[in-house]
Every structure is written in C-alpha cells, then in structure tokens.
Amino acid sequence: MYRVLIVDDELAAREMIACLVDWKEIGFEEPDMAKDGRQALELFRQKSYDIVFADIEMPFMDGLEMIEEMKREKSGQRFVIISCHESFAYARRALQMGVSEYFIKDLMQPEELYSCLLEHTASPKSVFRGEQTLLAQECSDIFLRLILGETVTERDEKLFEKNICSSDNKLYYSLGLAGIDEKEQKGAKPDHQMLCQTRRFYKRICQEGTAVIVPGERGILFLIPQTGNHSTAEKMNRTVEYINHIRNIARNCQIFSLTVGVSEDSDQIRDMEKLYEQAQKACNMKVFRGMNRTIFYNEISNNTWGLQGRALEECLEQIETLITEKDSRYQDVLKKLYRPNLYGGFLENNYLSYVNWRLWDILFYVRRKVRGKEKPRTDIMQQGVEQINRLDSAREMENFFTEIIQNDFLSEQKSKESGIVRQAKDYIESRLCEDISLSRIADALHVHKGYLCRVFREETGTNLVSYIRTRKVQEAKRMLEATALKIYEIAEALGYQSSQYFTMVFKKETGVSPNDYRKQLSEK
C-alpha cells in the first residue's frame, strides 16, 4: 500500500483532502495528518511516504522550510503544495525548489486529486484491452463528424459503438485534447524539426494501439471510452493510464511539455461536440493552472477569471500587429497583460509564465517576418531566456519586454525616419498640452503643411492628424490612470477647448467615455 502525509494547520483543509477520494480502492492507506511542519517532520522520520501534501503558510515551521528539511533527509521525496492565497513570492520560491505540483484549495475536485495519486501508481496502457478494436477509416470519419456537430445516421452510431466496445455494457465517453505547450517550441529547434516531431508523435500514437484520434490545429484529440460497471476510482485509473501512455509516446518523440484537457463523460454519442468544447476549455486553462498538466473540465467549469482565452489571445495578436507596424501603442496593451497582483500565488505565476512564452514567440516571428532569414533563432530569442526567468514581478517583466521591443524593433524605425518626421514628433510631444494644428507644426519646421502631411504619411503609415489625436488620447489615459484630475481638468491640460469635445474624441478613439474608462480601471 502507498502512503500519504497531509500537512496543513487548518483541520477543515486536512479533512477535505482526506474525504475527496477512496484511498483504499486505489492502493493507498488512509492518510496520516500533521498540523504544522514540526509535527510533520516527526512523522516523516518515523515512516516513509510516497507523497507529502503541504500547505505553505503554517505556524512554527512553514511548508517551504519543512520541504527543505525533508529534501535534505530524502532527496527523492515527492511533494504537492496545497495552495490557498499565498503570495507570489512564496509560489516562485516553491517552484525554484523543484516543487511543480500544487492544488488550489478553493478549486480542488476529486478528479484532480485522483489524477495526482494515480500518476504515481498507474502504469501506461496503450489500449483498453479486451474492449477496443482498431477503428476502420469509416469509423474515424464518423468520429470526426460527431465532434464537428454534423448529422450521423443511426447505422453510423451503432457501427461506431460496436467498434469501441464488443460487450453489452453501457458505454460512457469522454474526450482528451493533448496540446504541445508553447514552451516546447522555444529551444534551438528549427520549425521543420518541431513539425517532424509532431508528425512522429501522431504516427506513434496510431501505431501503438490508441483507438480513436484526430489530429488538428489545437493538438491531438482522443476518445476515452468507459463502461458503466466501473467505479469512479477505476474509471479515473483507466483514464490516467491512457494519458500516461500518450505522455510516454510524447517523451519518446522528444516532446517534454504536453498539456492534456479532459472533458466530462456522457453516455450520449451525440454529445461529442459538447465534450470537444469542454476538452478545449480545459486545455486552454493551462494559462492559469500551468503547462504540462492534466486538467479536467470538472476542475474549471465553475470558476472564471477576467482575462482568459480569447481576450488574452486578442491582446497578443494586437501586440504582434502593433510591433510589426512600428506602433508605440503596444505599450498600452502590455500594461493590460502585466497587471500587478493579477491573481496571486501559483495562478499568477502560471499566467505570467504563459504570457512570457507567448511574447517570446511573437518577437521571434515578427523579427523573422520583417528581417527575413538573415537572423538565426539564436539571437534575441535565446539571449534573454535566463534573464526573464530571474524577473520577480509583473512590472519587471513588462519593462523587460518594453525595452526589448523598443531597442530591437522600434529603434530601427526611428533611424529610417527623415529629419522632418522626427522633428514633427518631437514638436508634438513637447506641446501635448496645447491645441496643436498642422499650420503651427509646419511653420515651426519651415515647410509647407501639404508637404509635411505627405512625408509623414509615407514614412509612418498614418496621417498627421490621426497621430496627434492618438497621442493626446494616450496621454489622457495615462492621466486618468495616474491622477485624480477631473475630466474637464484633463481636457484643459491637453489643450481641448471644451470637455465635451474631449469626451467625443476620447470615445471615438477608445470606444468608451473618459468616465467609463476610469470606472473600468477602478474595477480591475
């Protein structure tokens, strides 16, 4: 039998973990418990434990001190952090100590705990032996139509079920989506090598007996069939065995970071489209739960965060466009991404790590697109990896990327601008508090305003009036965020003759009024 030690100063937390699963059914003794690090060390020295679950913030000896002491006595000990609302610094320190597994107390579900325990005990299996046969092409086509929500006939359904399970037991289906993580693509591997690894991964899964898979843009989708005569623990064990098998194949193909999203189960074959969406949502939650994990939809279905999924990708796409166009407004989007104290603890660390990796990809892609193949992958994409891992706050990360983008991308544009364009920009920056007109700029630079407007548009891709308006609105946003000035005071400070006109310009540029913009800031 396997042994577990649960260390937490809250009795309710210890009891919650102890009651979530049937320990004996999966080969574990009832867990031992300790209320602080000192008591845990006494038990640890009397028995050997396969897994130690540890809270971080506890009296007398906190969880991290306890882990350090236990690791000195048993270097291979496996630890799982029981996280609550600990600080970002605590989470970073735990990860630096090599503790990569953790639970969020408020979000814990039986599936997550079962998965953690069974990864320790379940052996990889390529198929559910005795219940599956390899599907013919016709059945693979049926599966694809089901997940796309297309119509299938009753004959198709029966053919599909017959190939999945030859017995008369009731079938339950869940879907898994295995996605290769972004950080897997960061090393010195060229694109063609990454593509070959992905193809080899898919081919190996087909060869080694996995019954139903569909390759796609978002990863590899696979069916996890179960019969109705199994307990929850048995079903979880078989699911984890299957996922362990897929992870083993990935490692053999030199893919070491794979996030797997798993849907709920259903006994209705026509629910495949819904299960596919659930698997996608679970896999996407790696943004917050961390990469290289198995994430069950049940764990995340009742929890939402403000900046996730599509909204996050839209911000990243916007940054890519702005950098490509040499537009300094990318800084406003960066601020949205790197809001300090976003979630706290492990969730914030996971989110920031994900954003860092995605921005790394964007910088590499833009550089290659703009400059062609003259620069190898080994330049900016690798020189900052160690540095970014040492950054300790969202603000430091934002500043790091701002400096990289400014020096490596936007400075190039400055050197290409003519003296007239640079002088016009300098004039605008020094007089943002005035009512700037084209005639004033042209007179100050001793050029005709028609000529100035043409040269400015040719070199920057935007007209001069739009540039002035955009810079004034950017400065207004800064003032709304950093000061308590009233709207009419900001309008006056930026040279607008009336607050009504300022409000109209601001809303046209941003989509919201200055008052609404300030309210949005206060709600974040």
Side-chain angles (χ1 to χ4, degrees):
M1 298 282 282
Y2 297 96
R3 285 182 183 153
V4 162
L5 174 61
I6 301 173
V7 190
D8 197 304
D9 60 322
E10 296 179 0
L11 176 60
R14 300 195 300 268
E15 290 180 339
M16 176 193 70
I17 297 173
C19 294
L20 276 178
V21 300
D22 187 332
W23 297 88
K24 290 184 179 178
E25 190 175 11
I26 56 174
F28 281 81
E29 294 179 0
E30 288 294 324
D32 288 340
M33 299 189 187
K35 62 183 179 181
D36 57 56
R38 288 181 184 175
Q39 189 180 58
L41 273 174
E42 292 177 10
L43 290 170
F44 184 79
R45 286 162 180 160
Q46 295 169 15
K47 296 182 181 179
S48 73
Y49 292 98
D50 297 281
I51 308 174
V52 176
F53 293 88
D55 189 14
I56 291 183
E57 297 187 66
M58 297 183 293
F60 306 118
M61 175 184 282
D62 69 37
L64 299 183
E65 292 173 325
M66 181 200 76
I67 289 171
E68 284 181 329
E69 186 64 32
M70 288 182 175
K71 288 184 79 169
R72 276 194 287 269
E73 298 186 20
K74 185 180 177 182
S75 59
Q77 179 63 52
R78 183 183 176 191
F79 297 95
V80 177
I81 292 291
I82 311 167
S83 168
C84 189
H85 302 293
E86 78 292 329
S87 69
F88 179 64
Y90 267 135
R92 288 294 296 272
R93 186 176 159 210
L95 292 167
Q96 288 165 359
M97 290 169 60
V99 182
S100 58
E101 292 184 85
Y102 50 87
F103 291 149
I104 310 298
K105 287 183 187 178
D106 296 343
L107 310 180
M108 276 186 68
Q109 297 292 329
E111 289 83 0
E112 186 178 22
L113 183 53
Y114 269 123
S115 177
C116 172
L117 296 168
L118 291 169
E119 281 181 10
H120 191 76
T121 62
S123 58
K125 287 189 179 178
S126 60
V127 295
F128 299 108
R129 301 190 182 281
E131 294 186 10
Q132 289 182 322
T133 60
L134 288 177
L135 289 178
Q137 183 62 46
E138 186 177 5
C139 286
S140 295
D141 292 341
I142 294 169
F143 179 57
L144 185 57
R145 296 207 305 275
L146 285 167
I147 64 174
L148 293 176
E150 297 178 3
T151 303
V152 295
T153 66
E154 188 175 336
R155 173 192 170 276
D156 288 340
E157 289 184 18
K158 289 181 178 177
L159 175 64
F160 187 81
E161 290 178 344
K162 182 179 178 182
N163 276 276
I164 293 298
C165 180
S166 57
S167 71
D168 295 328
N169 294 323
K170 190 167 186 175
L171 267 175
Y172 289 84
Y173 306 94
S174 58
L175 297 183
L177 180 64
I180 300 173
D181 293 325
E182 286 76 11
K183 67 180 181 179
E184 185 68 38
Q185 304 169 31
K186 298 300 176 297
K189 299 174 185 175
D191 289 348
H192 71 273
Q193 185 178 336
M194 196 65 218
L195 179 62
C196 289
Q197 286 182 343
T198 305
R199 286 178 174 171
R200 188 162 63 249
F201 177 39
Y202 169 62
K203 186 176 180 181
R204 285 283 302 276
I205 292 178
C206 292
Q207 291 173 340
E208 297 194 18
T210 301
V212 184
I213 58 170
V214 173
E217 254 181 66
R218 304 183 66 84
I220 292 175
L221 184 72
F222 54 93
L223 182 70
I224 309 172
Q226 302 273 8
T227 55
N229 58 348
H230 294 297
S231 67
T232 300
E234 288 175 319
K235 287 180 181 178
M236 284 297 303
N237 191 56
R238 291 152 64 81
T239 298
V240 173
E241 285 178 346
Y242 202 15
I243 292 171
N244 283 352
H245 165 65
I246 288 174
R247 290 190 181 280
N248 274 357
I249 295 174
R251 283 191 288 270
N252 290 336
C253 295
Q254 301 301 302
I255 296 171
F256 299 105
S257 189
L258 195 73
T259 296
V260 181
V262 183
S263 73
E264 297 176 331
D265 59 35
S266 172
D267 61 353
Q268 299 297 313
I269 194 171
R270 293 181 184 271
D271 283 342
M272 290 292 182
E273 184 182 16
K274 180 184 77 174
L275 299 181
Y276 176 42
E277 291 175 357
Q278 290 179 354
Q280 282 184 313
K281 288 179 181 177
C283 195
N284 288 341
M285 286 306 295
K286 66 185 177 184
V287 174
F288 302 101
R289 306 306 294 275
M291 290 182 268
N292 201 28
R293 294 171 66 91
T294 299
I295 304 172
F296 289 84
Y297 180 77
N298 287 345
E299 299 171 29
I300 58 99
S301 58
N302 295 322
N303 299 283
T304 57
W305 289 274
L307 185 64
Q308 62 173 297
R310 186 175 298 174
L312 172 60
E313 291 305 318
E314 285 175 357
C315 283
L316 292 166
E317 288 171 10
Q318 192 177 2
I319 283 181
E320 181 181 323
T321 300
L322 292 170
I323 296 173
T324 303
E325 295 176 354
K326 314 293 185 183
D327 191 327
S328 62
R329 287 178 295 176
Y330 77 90
Q331 294 181 53
D332 294 332
V333 187
L334 268 186
K335 286 179 181 177
K336 291 181 184 178
L337 291 176
Y338 287 103
R339 287 178 295 165
N341 302 318
L342 194 62
Y343 300 109
F346 287 100
L347 294 180
E348 182 175 356
N349 182 81
N350 294 334
Y351 170 82
L352 293 174
S353 295
Y354 180 84
V355 170
N356 290 341
W357 285 122
R358 291 286 284 111
L359 280 174
W360 238 194
D361 255 357
I362 287 169
L363 293 182
F364 169 66
Y365 173 75
V366 172
R367 169 174 279 241
R368 189 173 60 176
K369 182 170 68 172
V370 172
R371 299 184 181 179
K373 296 182 178 180
E374 60 183 274
K375 294 286 183 181
R377 190 171 185 119
T378 54
D379 62 343
I380 73 162
M381 295 310 297
Q382 290 197 345
Q383 70 185 11
V385 170
E386 291 184 5
Q387 185 176 351
I388 200 171
N389 287 336
R390 291 195 296 268
L391 300 175
D392 291 325
S393 70
R395 185 64 65 202
E396 287 182 13
M397 294 170 189
E398 178 191 338
N399 292 339
F400 173 82
F401 278 103
T402 299
E403 185 177 350
I404 288 282
I405 294 168
Q406 194 69 34
N407 293 340
D408 216 76
F409 293 90
L410 301 193
S411 60
E412 191 177 274
Q413 176 69 10
K414 288 182 180 179
S415 65
K416 292 179 180 178
E417 291 175 351
S418 66
I420 291 175
V421 171
R422 287 200 304 274
Q423 289 174 50
K425 286 186 174 182
D426 290 342
Y427 182 93
I428 292 166
E429 290 302 315
S430 65
R431 289 169 174 79
L432 280 177
C433 60
E434 299 176 10
D435 183 12
I436 307 170
S437 69
L438 298 182
S439 297
R440 285 186 181 182
I441 301 174
D443 289 345
L445 302 183
H446 308 292
V447 295
H448 190 277
K449 67 179 180 181
Y451 172 75
L452 173 63
C453 289
R454 179 175 61 80
V455 172
F456 194 93
R457 186 177 185 85
E458 287 176 354
E459 294 190 15
T460 67
T462 187
N463 67 61
L464 188 51
V465 173
S466 296
Y467 180 82
I468 295 169
R469 182 175 62 245
T470 298
R471 284 297 301 122
K472 280 183 174 285
V473 169
Q474 286 175 340
E475 182 63 16
K477 288 164 73 175
R478 186 195 67 78
M479 295 169 77
L480 286 165
E481 183 176 352
T483 74
L485 292 173
K486 293 181 172 59
I487 303 302
Y488 77 85
E489 292 174 326
I490 293 176
E492 289 177 359
L494 291 172
Y496 289 97
Q497 295 180 357
S498 73
S499 60
Q500 290 81 4
Y501 180 66
F502 163 66
T503 298
M504 183 188 73
V505 171
F506 189 94
K507 188 169 184 178
K508 186 176 180 180
E509 186 78 10
T510 66
V512 295
S513 69
N515 273 324
D516 288 341
Y517 182 80
R518 180 168 269 169
K519 285 178 184 176
Q520 290 175 1
L521 291 173
S522 65
E523 290 170 359
K524 291 179 180 178

